[in-house]
Amino acid sequence: VQLQASGGGLVQAGGSLRLSCSAPGRMRSPWTVAWFRQTPGMDRDFVAVMHRSAGRIYYADSVKGRFAYSRDTARNTVYLQMNSLRPEDTAVYYCAASPSVISSNLASQNAYADWGQGTQVTVSS
């Protein structure tokens, strides 16, 4: 079953959105589920990750203190709560998963084989 991200939309600067990623079969160790984002013509940038489904959460410096990663195992869903949104947060957001990511590769898009379709987030100034 594919990953599926949802919850994107258009929001004014300073606003909030919560993204959801349906990740059935990927909520327990050894799976790691991460969030990335991509703007046109650029590689996917790391946003946030929880290592091996029960471990430490890591954030990109650009979102620390504004975004929060959480999960609901019963619903097979990972969330990304995005607060204090800025125009530079505008991107297509993806969730990705892998059963074999090592800690030194958590922020590398190449470490993840499973990707959902993206959800567009647009922040207006």
Side-chain angles (χ1 to χ4, degrees):
V1 178
Q2 279 194 320
L3 299 170
Q4 187 167 358
S6 61
L10 173 63
V11 63
Q12 287 189 330
S16 299
L17 282 174
R18 187 176 77 160
L19 305 184
S20 300
C21 173
S22 174
R26 301 169 182 85
M27 298 298 291
R28 301 188 186 279
S29 183
W31 286 93
T32 292
V33 180
W35 288 97
F36 285 79
R37 63 187 182 186
Q38 186 175 31
T39 53
M42 304 296 287
D43 285 340
R44 291 173 182 173
D45 289 333
F46 166 74
V47 176
V49 65
M50 174 184 283
H51 190 205
R52 296 186 188 270
S53 300
R56 188 173 171 182
I57 298 173
Y58 299 88
Y59 297 95
D61 288 343
S62 59
V63 307
K64 277 181 184 175
R66 301 187 299 122
F67 289 13
Y69 181 113
S70 64
R71 66 195 200 111
D72 184 335
T73 302
R75 295 179 184 270
N76 292 315
T77 302
V78 171
Y79 301 99
L80 185 69
Q81 178 67 42
M82 306 187 297
N83 300 324
S84 302
L85 282 161
R86 304 167 181 168
E88 54 264 39
D89 295 318
T90 295
V92 177
Y93 283 71
Y94 297 89
C95 55
S98 172
S100 57
V101 184
I102 60 176
S103 57
S104 58
N105 282 349
L106 289 173
S108 171
Q109 62 174 335
N110 296 325
Y112 299 87
D114 288 357
W115 290 85
Q117 93 292 349
T119 186
Q120 176 71 47
V121 171
T122 303
V123 184
S124 63
S125 56

